[in-house]
């Protein structure tokens, strides 16, 4: 069997982390088995679907690097096909036109509720009940599936195990709305069939839909794909993940300076495990991924862990690549780097101290803009005694060979000559250079700045 999986988002918002995880699992399953991964945009909710959302989904997939073998396909471009399959079902007696008006159905539901029954369609336009009834001229019919009355629908869910639902629990679901647009359950079956999908990997909010879909497959005499329903992602408060839990849009993470590899690694681990492995490459993930190790209980989204993972990726990333990623972030702040010190030489000082590219941009910014230390900092650290030491240092640095060991020696010489402790020089120096009392190793910081800038910044205060 050639594995074929799909990601089938409804374009009613951005690509959120839950959707991205579903996409990742479907993609990885196809890649692992040498199969195909397909993107289908389920845009049948005309009111809520937008082009902006389609673009956001495509951007998100591209940024994550989840490449497609086929698609994107759009359901609204396939209406003729749904109509065709609908006719096939009508002909075979598995579907029928229902002329019940909205008011009539509302009244039915009310009456059922009043009797303490579960609201459900009562089959009033099933062919056997509609005999002799004249369809009202003012009602555009909808197409309903004639669900079997008896028996059970069962499947072996590849995540959740065996699931069984009695047909008595299911009513005659709508296949086509009055405007000819298919409902989700109908569109999904026709498409999964036409696209020869072998494994439907999706959120477990669809478990209730699956028996209905299986009944449609059966009515069509079609093979039924495997289903794998992945548990939801919850926020730290145990509620379903939503905007309240901070950034949930994939592209927001891009903007905030997360690396796609880190987000993918995080999503891979969120609800799936391979022993105790936490940091692994996408290639490893594809190699290891299986459906058996998807957790049966909901996963909890943990922003701190994501930040930690991002940090692991930043730490080992090549300095040049980091510089290329940070430069546009500085440029967006109106800060050019061309005239300043080599950016790769500066990012390397900070890359193991930050969690995001934005934090990295914050950290290196003082190397490319004028720094005006606050009056309080100056008063506290750049005292008379400190100024004397900084003056000495200025003199020594004017002639020192500009490399780390020599710079370090100059600092040590000043400290020794003045009988100071090292921090008594290093802290005022940090304050005048960067406006902060803490930095990476001060000799490395001086080295990265370059002599001219160091001397100019020192001169301003001595
Ligand atoms: N359009 C559905 C959703 O976004 C897809 C469900 C499925 O994968 O079958 O939830």
């Amino acid at each position: 069997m050639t594995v074929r999986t799909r990601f089938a988002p409804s374009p009613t918002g951005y690509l959120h982390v839950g959707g991205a995880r579903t996409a990742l699992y479907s993609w990885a399953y196809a890649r692992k088995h040498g199969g195909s991964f397909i993107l289908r945009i389920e845009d049948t909710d005309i009111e809520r679907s937008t082009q902006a959302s389609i673009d956001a989904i495509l951007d998100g997939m591209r940024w994550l690097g989840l490449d497609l073998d086929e698609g994107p396909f759009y359901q609204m471009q396939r209406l003729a096909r749904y109509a065709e399959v609908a006719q096939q079902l009508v002909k075979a007696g598995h579907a029928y036109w229902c002329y019940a008006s909205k008011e009539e159905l509302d009244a039915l539901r009310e009456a059922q509720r009043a009797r303490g029954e579960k609201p459900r369609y009562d089959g009033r336009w099933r062919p056997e009940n509609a005999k002799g009834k004249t369809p009202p001229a003012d009602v555009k019919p909808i197409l309903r599936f004639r669900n079997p009355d008896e028996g059970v629908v069962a499947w072996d869910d590849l995540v959740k195990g065996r699931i069984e639902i009695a047909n008595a629990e299911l009513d005659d679901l709508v296949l086509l709305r009055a405007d000819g647009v298919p409902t989700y359950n109908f569109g999904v079956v026709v498409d999964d069939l036409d696209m020869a999908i072998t494994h439907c990997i999706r959120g477990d909010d669809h478990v209730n839909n699956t028996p209905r879909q299986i009944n449609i497959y059966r009515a069509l005499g079609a093979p039924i794909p495997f289903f794998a329903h992945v548990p939801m992602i919850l926020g730290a408060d145990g509620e379903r993940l939503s905007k309240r839990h901070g950034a949930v849009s994939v592209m927001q993470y891009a903007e905030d300076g997360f690396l796609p590899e880190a987000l993918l690694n995080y999503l891979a681990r969120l609800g799936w495990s391979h022993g105790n492995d936490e940091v692994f490459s996408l290639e490893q993930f594809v190699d290891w991924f299986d459906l058996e190790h998807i957790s049966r209980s909901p996963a909890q989204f943990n922003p701190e862990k994501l930040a930690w993972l991002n940090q692991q990726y930043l730490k080992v990333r090549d300095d040049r690549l980091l510089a290329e990623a940070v430069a546009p972030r500085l440029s967006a702040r109106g800060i050019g780097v061309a005239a300043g010190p080599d950016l790769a030489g500066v990012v390397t000082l900070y890359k193991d101290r930050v969690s995001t590219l934005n934090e990295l941009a914050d950290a290196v910014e003082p190397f490319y803009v004028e720094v005006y230390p606050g009056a309080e900092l100056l008063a506290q650290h750049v005292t008379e005694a400190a100024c004397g030491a900084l003056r000495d240092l200025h003199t020594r640095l004017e002639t020192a060979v500009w490399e780390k060991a020599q710079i370090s020696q100059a600092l040590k010489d000043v400290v020794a000559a003045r009988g100071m402790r090292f921090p008594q020089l290093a802290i005022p120096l940090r304050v005048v250079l960067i406006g902060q009392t803490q930095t990476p190793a001060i000799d490395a910081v001086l080295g990265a700045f370059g002599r001219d800038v160091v001397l100019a910044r020192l001169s301003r205060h001595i």
Side-chain angles (χ1 to χ4, degrees):
M1 174 175 62
T2 310
V3 167
R4 290 173 62 85
T5 64
R6 83 308 195 268
F7 175 48
S10 306
T12 55
Y14 41 72
L15 177 62
H16 53 82
V17 292
R21 187 189 58 165
T22 306
L24 171 65
Y25 288 1
S26 297
W27 175 88
Y29 198 75
R31 291 289 165 268
K32 165 154 185 164
H33 296 280
S36 295
F37 173 63
I38 291 144
L39 176 65
R40 181 171 74 232
I41 303 289
E42 302 206 322
D43 53 354
T44 53
D45 185 340
I46 309 163
E47 305 267 283
R48 295 175 59 226
S49 298
T50 64
Q51 186 58 44
S53 166
I54 294 173
D55 294 342
I57 292 166
L58 297 177
D59 285 350
M61 299 282 289
R62 211 171 299 124
W63 180 69
L64 288 171
L66 301 178
D67 58 316
L68 309 176
D69 299 299
E70 292 171 34
F73 298 109
Y74 295 86
Q75 290 193 316
M76 287 307 283
Q77 293 174 8
R78 291 175 41 80
L79 296 184
R81 176 62 184 149
Y82 308 123
E84 188 180 11
V85 179
Q87 275 315 321
Q88 198 181 320
L89 286 169
V90 172
K91 257 202 205 129
H94 292 299
Y96 60 92
W97 296 102
C98 169
Y99 292 84
S101 65
K102 188 181 168 298
E103 294 71 33
E104 216 182 317
L105 292 174
D106 287 346
L108 171 66
R109 217 170 294 127
E110 260 325 296
Q112 287 168 330
R113 256 195 219 115
R115 290 197 298 273
E117 294 168 11
K118 211 166 117 190
R120 56 186 287 143
Y121 179 69
D122 61 358
R124 61 183 62 187
W125 282 93
R126 278 186 170 191
E128 65 268 30
N129 302 333
K131 277 195 194 105
K133 268 200 233 174
T134 321
D138 57 339
V139 177
K140 263 193 139 187
I142 55 174
L143 190 71
R144 283 188 188 270
F145 182 64
R146 194 191 188 299
N147 199 76
D149 297 318
E150 278 150 26
V152 292
V153 188
W155 78 97
D156 291 308
D157 195 277
L158 297 179
V159 174
K160 293 179 177 276
R162 187 144 187 95
I163 300 181
E164 289 189 3
I165 308 284
N167 270 319
E169 297 284 314
L170 309 171
D171 60 2
D172 290 354
L173 75 112
V174 178
L175 298 177
L176 290 181
R177 300 192 200 102
D179 57 4
V181 175
T183 53
Y184 157 68
N185 278 307
F186 186 44
V188 86
V189 170
V190 174
D191 287 351
D192 284 341
L193 254 179
D194 283 354
M195 296 168 196
I197 300 302
T198 56
H199 294 74
C200 296
I201 301 169
R202 61 186 174 202
D204 70 358
D205 47 336
H206 289 289
V207 164
N208 290 337
N209 290 317
T210 304
R212 302 170 194 278
Q213 294 174 16
I214 290 176
N215 279 336
I216 303 176
Y217 281 104
R218 284 184 179 161
L220 290 167
I224 298 166
F226 291 106
F227 294 99
H229 287 99
V230 182
M232 297 282 94
I233 301 176
L234 307 179
D237 53 4
E239 298 286 319
R240 198 178 157 163
L241 196 65
S242 72
K243 267 192 201 156
R244 284 181 300 108
H245 298 98
V248 289
S249 152
V250 162
M251 290 316 280
Q252 185 64 47
Y253 284 103
E255 210 166 288
D256 291 349
F258 286 81
L259 299 174
E261 295 88 338
L263 184 58
L264 284 174
N265 189 157
Y266 180 70
L267 293 176
R269 251 318 259 111
L270 189 63
W272 172 88
S273 56
H274 183 266
N276 292 325
D277 291 308
E278 293 291 350
V279 187
F280 42 78
S281 70
L282 195 55
E283 290 72 32
Q284 273 172 319
F285 176 57
V286 167
D287 193 32
W288 293 337
F289 185 60
D290 58 8
L291 300 171
E292 294 88 80
H293 288 87
I294 290 179
S295 162
R296 289 187 177 200
S297 41
Q300 206 156 54
F301 192 75
N302 180 342
E304 287 83 34
K305 188 166 167 199
L306 170 57
W308 174 83
L309 255 178
N310 203 49
Q311 194 175 26
Q312 308 313 306
Y313 279 81
L314 288 176
K315 259 188 208 173
V316 297
R317 176 130 313 193
D318 176 76
D319 294 335
R320 287 270 152 232
L321 291 179
L322 281 179
E324 275 168 28
V326 166
R329 288 172 196 269
L330 290 172
S331 153
R333 303 174 185 188
I335 301 169
V337 295
D342 174 38
L343 186 53
V346 181
V347 298
T348 196
L349 300 176
Y350 288 93
K351 68 179 183 178
D352 57 356
R353 303 182 155 229
V354 295
S355 301
T356 66
L357 291 170
N358 276 0
E359 286 178 19
L360 189 53
D362 292 343
V364 304
E365 191 179 306
F367 288 76
Y368 301 94
V369 294
E370 286 300 335
V371 167
Y372 303 99
E376 222 171 283
L377 262 188
L378 285 176
Q380 194 183 343
H381 298 287
V382 189
T383 56
E384 257 327 290
C387 276
L390 293 176
R391 254 190 308 272
D392 272 8
L393 182 66
H394 187 280
T395 308
R396 285 174 199 269
L397 291 181
E398 274 176 324
T399 53
V401 176
W402 205 257
E403 52 93 22
K404 211 172 143 198
Q406 297 282 329
I407 295 170
S408 182
Q409 194 55 52
L411 290 164
K412 281 184 199 144
D413 289 347
V414 171
V415 166
R418 297 208 154 229
M420 308 166 86
R421 284 180 299 109
F422 194 77
Q424 291 175 310
L425 173 63
I427 293 178
L429 186 53
R430 290 180 165 117
V431 168
V432 304
L433 288 177
I434 311 206
Q436 294 163 11
T437 55
Q438 291 187 347
T439 64
I442 189 67
D443 48 356
V445 168
L446 292 180
F449 258 116
R451 187 195 321 263
D452 291 350
V453 181
V454 170
L455 294 182
R457 289 193 184 188
L458 277 174
S459 301
R460 240 189 267 139
H461 297 276
I462 57 180

